[in-house]
Structures are given as C-alpha cells and as structure tokens.
Amino acid sequence: MAKTPATPPRRSASTSLASPAPRGPLPSTSETSYHKRLRSILLDHKKCRKEWNELVIRGCLARTRAAIELWSDIENGLKVVNSKKGGQSSAVRAGYLFAQSARLSEQLATINAVVSSLTDLVATMSQLAERAEALTVEAAKTRGTVFAFRDPLWVTWPLARFADGLQDQTTPYLHSLALIRSLLDTLTTFPPLPSSTSPASSDPTASTPPEEDKARPRPKPEELQAAMSLLAVQPLIPGKGGEGPEAWEEVMSVEVGGWNEGR
C-alpha cells in the first residue's frame, strides 16, 4: 500500500514574499533646522525644473517654430517681389514684408530673453546644489559625521545623499543649456531681414548685409529638422526609467517628509 505523502509545513509569516513595511517618515515635530532647510532647498530646485520645462516648451520651442514660419513667409514674399518689381502691388508686398520682418525680429528678441531666463535658472540650480553641500558640511561639524553621512534624515536617505543627488540632478541642465544655445544658433540663423529704415526702403531686397551675415547661409532643411527635434526632446536630460527628474521626484515623495505638502 502506497504511503500517503506528508503534508508540507505551512509557510510561516516570516517567509512571506511581501516586502517588509518601510520605516515611517520622521514626525514633523522631531524635525531639526537641517530637515527644514534641506526641504526648502529641494523644493526650490523642483520649482526651477518645472520652470525650465515651461520655458523650453512654451518659450524656446514655440517661439522658434513661429520664427521659422515667419522667415518662410518672408522668403516666399521676397521671391514674389523679385519676380514682379514695380507698380502698386509691389509696394504693398514690400510693406507686408517689412511688417513680417519686424515681427520676426521681435520673436528673435523674445527667444534671446528666454535663453537668458534659462541661464538664470541653471545658475539658481547650481547655487541650490552648493547650499545643500554646505548644509552637509555644517551638519557634520555641529551634529557629527554620523548625522550628516549615515543617519536617515526622514526615511532612509542621509543628508549627504540628498546633497549628492541634487548635484547629479543639476549637471544635465548645465549641459542642456549649452546644447540649447547651439541649437538655437542653427535654427535662428537668417539672412539679413528687409528693413523699412534701410536707405532703399521701397525695395525690401536692396539692403546690403554686413560681411559676417554674408558668411552665414541659412542651414539646410535636414539640419533645421534635426536641430528642432533635439530642442523638443532635450536629450541630455534623462527621461523616464533613468536617473532623471521624474525618478528623482518619485524618490523625494517617499524620502522627504512633507514633500507633497510643499510648494
């Protein structure tokens, strides 16, 4: 007679596949000035990253597209004027081209202002990263190296890890700013624009460009398309699944007490 197989022992609670519950965040009543100052730095950096995205998308990208469309309109208009010089119709077209050229100049000025704002944002991010580093050094001196480099601040991360991470989050924006400047230099390179203040104001094709403008022809369509694509995707800032802003935000929402209550 076959033996009845023994009943396997039940899995005890200690061998459950479920991950152990994480350590809860430090109560707000137990926070020190280091907790509060670091959280303020981290939230200010978050604000800068948000403003960066808005400026790149609504500022650089949208304004550059508008500038390219304006130039295309001007270029087509110049061809028509060149083929049909003289008469009232030509004068009307010239006036239209002068107006479009003025609009293009305004767009280019706005793009330059956006780049200036991006530069200020990157400078602020760098200053915030430096403040976090200085806060770590201060904490090590006043509270000891264990507090600064080993003890969890809220959940599991020590103060020093936040400072290192903030610097890692800032560096891609420094590199991206340099790339944006290079891309805009390609995208906004236009031949001299018709000007109603030129000596031959009745002829939008009669202005004499400076020598440096003559040496910079309009980039080829494929170069413009590639530059616009890079401007849109911001390849130097890590995306989802990497070590970029989205992953950092997820970690901060867990590791920083009061994160979702911040500004």
Side-chain angles (χ1 to χ4, degrees):
M1 182 175 179
K3 294 183 179 180
T4 303
T7 303
R10 296 181 62 186
R11 186 186 297 271
S12 64
S14 61
T15 60
S16 172
L17 295 178
S19 300
R23 174 184 179 273
L26 184 76
S28 59
T29 54
S30 300
E31 288 186 350
T32 67
S33 65
Y34 293 103
H35 294 81
K36 297 173 183 177
R37 289 155 66 189
L38 177 63
R39 180 170 51 230
S40 178
I41 291 171
L42 294 171
L43 288 172
D44 283 344
H45 200 277
K46 175 183 179 179
K47 181 181 178 182
C48 287
R49 297 194 304 273
K50 182 179 179 181
E51 290 181 9
W52 170 280
N53 290 334
E54 292 176 351
L55 282 172
V56 170
I57 295 172
R58 299 180 183 178
C60 283
L61 197 58
R63 296 286 184 175
T64 301
R65 282 174 176 162
I68 291 174
E69 290 174 1
L70 279 169
W71 169 249
S72 179
D73 189 33
I74 293 169
E75 190 175 34
N76 291 333
L78 287 171
K79 293 177 181 178
V80 173
V81 170
N82 284 332
S83 63
K84 298 180 179 180
K85 286 190 175 182
Q88 184 177 2
S89 176
S90 180
V92 171
R93 291 182 183 277
Y96 174 76
L97 290 178
F98 293 146
Q100 291 295 81
S101 296
R103 290 180 59 194
L104 178 54
S105 296
E106 291 174 359
Q107 289 285 5
L108 295 178
T110 301
I111 292 171
N112 288 335
V114 171
V115 173
S116 178
S117 296
L118 289 173
T119 303
D120 291 342
L121 277 179
V122 170
T124 300
M125 289 184 191
S126 297
Q127 292 169 3
L128 290 169
E130 291 172 0
R131 284 174 54 191
E133 184 68 27
L135 190 65
T136 304
V137 174
E138 178 188 332
K141 291 179 179 179
T142 60
R143 298 291 299 270
T145 56
V146 173
F147 174 84
F149 294 94
R150 185 184 301 175
D151 285 348
L153 205 58
W154 281 283
V155 182
T156 64
W157 278 26
L159 176 55
R161 188 170 180 182
F162 286 103
D164 291 342
L166 203 61
Q167 183 60 60
D168 291 340
Q169 288 299 308
T170 300
T171 300
Y173 289 91
L174 288 166
H175 297 160
S176 188
L177 177 61
L179 176 62
I180 286 174
R181 285 174 172 161
S182 176
L183 295 174
L184 290 177
D185 186 57
T186 297
L187 291 166
T188 59
T189 294
F190 301 108
L193 302 178
S195 172
S196 59
T197 60
S198 64
S201 59
S202 61
D203 184 357
T205 66
S207 59
T208 302
E211 290 300 321
E212 60 269 20
D213 289 335
K214 289 181 179 179
R216 296 199 63 190
R218 182 76 175 141
K220 297 178 180 179
E222 55 269 25
E223 295 174 334
L224 295 173
Q225 183 177 359
M228 184 62 77
S229 297
L230 289 174
L231 183 62
V233 301
Q234 300 186 68
L236 299 184
I237 298 178
K240 295 181 179 179
E243 300 295 328
E246 293 187 15
W248 175 261
E249 176 67 21
E250 291 179 3
V251 172
M252 293 300 98
S253 66
V254 174
E255 287 288 347
V256 180
W259 180 258
N260 294 322
E261 302 170 8
R263 52 190 179 279

